[in-house]
Amino acid sequence: QVQLQQWGAGLLKPSETLSLTCVVYGGSFNEYYWNWIRQPPGKGLEWIGEINHSGTTNYSPSLKSRLTISVDRSKKQFSVNLTSVSAADTAVYYCARAKYCYDSSGYSPRGGYYFDYWGQGALVTVSS
Amino acid sequence: SYELTQPPSVSVSPGQTASITCSGDELGDKFAFWYQQRPGQSPVVVIYEDTKRPSGIPERFSGSNSGNTATLTISETQAMDEADYYCQAWDGSTPYVFGTGTKVTVL
């Protein structure tokens, strides 16, 4: 059974750095991309970025300049740092596992990733 | 950037069928995925690869995807199906895109 457990500081002041970590229990760590997703209060889901076991990252263009995602394979953990936070970064932050799927049976092959396991979420509030 | 549009809300009576649409440019050329998010909980995937249900998801959840629209259908809707639903697609250039979300109310 795969479980993702996350933790980090919940209250920040403007201009500080958000830092969260997610640990993976069960399943393979090397076969997936590991993601961060956030959800502002009362709003929809926003993809932040991802990393794989070897450290390859993909970031949301809108956050790229402030974002760093890192991995510790030995501990099956991955972390997110978001610098210079403001009130607009207030959100519930989720870690999630991305699974790849592929289908070549149609008229043209298709592939893609989706999130099959999620962490419990962590509310991060930015307030002076 | 790629966008997915959903209706903000859908209302359905218990036992009836709810349909939630997700519109995006040539969405049918990609896989569509659907998530259910109950209040205060993490999202859960209910449909992947357009039509497939993960283990443990009731058969009343079904999906389709063609042209510019993917649809999540909930048959014989129950009170426990009241939640927010998000579609998602993946594109190599944009990576992950979520729909705007639909609140399903079971009246």
Side-chain angles (χ1 to χ4, degrees):
Chain A
Q1 178 71 0
V2 176
Q3 292 186 25
L4 280 67
Q5 185 173 335
Q6 55 185 105
W7 66 90
L11 180 60
L12 298 172
K13 290 180 167 40
S15 79
E16 292 184 334
T17 296
L18 178 154
S19 183
L20 298 170
T21 298
C22 184
V23 62
V24 180
Y25 297 109
S28 169
F29 190 75
N30 293 349
E31 297 177 12
Y32 302 93
Y33 269 89
W34 303 97
N35 285 255
W36 291 99
I37 296 154
R38 71 180 182 179
Q39 184 173 36
K43 296 188 178 180
L45 300 166
E46 178 188 14
W47 178 73
I48 295 171
E50 66 180 355
I51 193 166
N52 68 3
H53 70 283
S54 63
T56 301
T57 55
N58 294 299
Y59 294 157
S60 167
S62 65
L63 297 171
K64 189 173 184 177
S65 63
R66 299 190 291 132
L67 188 63
T68 302
I69 298 177
S70 58
V71 67
D72 185 336
R73 288 180 294 177
S74 66
K75 296 181 179 180
K76 298 180 72 174
Q77 292 179 2
F78 59 106
S79 301
V80 59
N81 277 8
L82 184 67
T83 62
S84 303
V85 298
S86 69
D89 296 309
T90 293
V92 175
Y93 286 75
Y94 295 99
C95 56
R97 188 179 86 169
K99 184 174 182 178
Y100 182 66
C101 53
Y102 181 79
D103 179 14
S104 61
S105 63
Y107 69 92
S108 67
R110 295 183 296 168
Y113 289 86
Y114 69 102
F115 306 108
D116 62 344
Y117 288 96
W118 295 66
Q120 78 275 22
L123 174 62
V124 177
T125 302
V126 181
S127 174
S128 55
Chain B
S1 62
Y2 195 74
E3 296 181 354
L4 295 174
T5 302
Q6 301 177 231
S9 62
V10 167
S11 297
V12 60
S13 299
Q16 299 304 302
T17 297
S19 294
I20 306 166
T21 58
C22 173
S23 299
D25 187 41
E26 298 182 335
L27 179 56
D29 291 342
K30 314 177 196 300
F31 281 131
F33 311 96
W34 290 92
Y35 302 88
Q36 176 193 68
Q37 185 180 32
R38 295 190 174 109
Q41 297 186 17
S42 303
V44 173
V45 59
V46 293
I47 293 290
Y48 67 100
E49 292 184 35
D50 297 341
T51 61
K52 298 179 179 179
R53 280 177 296 104
S55 173
I57 300 302
E59 290 184 7
R60 63 179 182 273
F61 288 88
S62 62
S64 64
N65 184 18
S66 180
N68 295 321
T69 303
T71 302
L72 173 68
T73 302
I74 311 172
S75 304
E76 300 180 346
T77 305
Q78 300 181 10
M80 64 184 299
D81 300 329
E82 189 162 284
D84 294 327
Y85 291 84
Y86 295 90
C87 59
Q88 177 244 314
W90 182 88
D91 180 271
S93 59
T94 310
Y96 307 86
V97 178
F98 288 101
T100 49
T102 299
K103 182 178 181 61
V104 170
T105 301
V106 182
L107 300 171

